[in-house]
Amino acid sequence: MRALIAAAAGLAAALALVLTVTAVGTPSGTTSPKPLLTTVPAHP
């Protein structure tokens, strides 16, 4: 029974988090105009 209560509490917390993020909305940020430069290590 404790496991069922813990699962219900976790599900309620996850749902509350999703609803909070949905209510806040997406951040108004912009992407960088410069691409990220990455290097690949040389094979031995």
Side-chain angles (χ1 to χ4, degrees), residues 3-17:
L4 185 62
I5 293 171
L11 183 61
L15 185 61
L17 180 64

Side-chain angles (χ1 to χ4, degrees), residues 9-27:
L11 183 61
L15 185 61
L17 180 64
V18 168
L19 290 177
T20 302
V21 170
T22 303
V24 170
T26 57

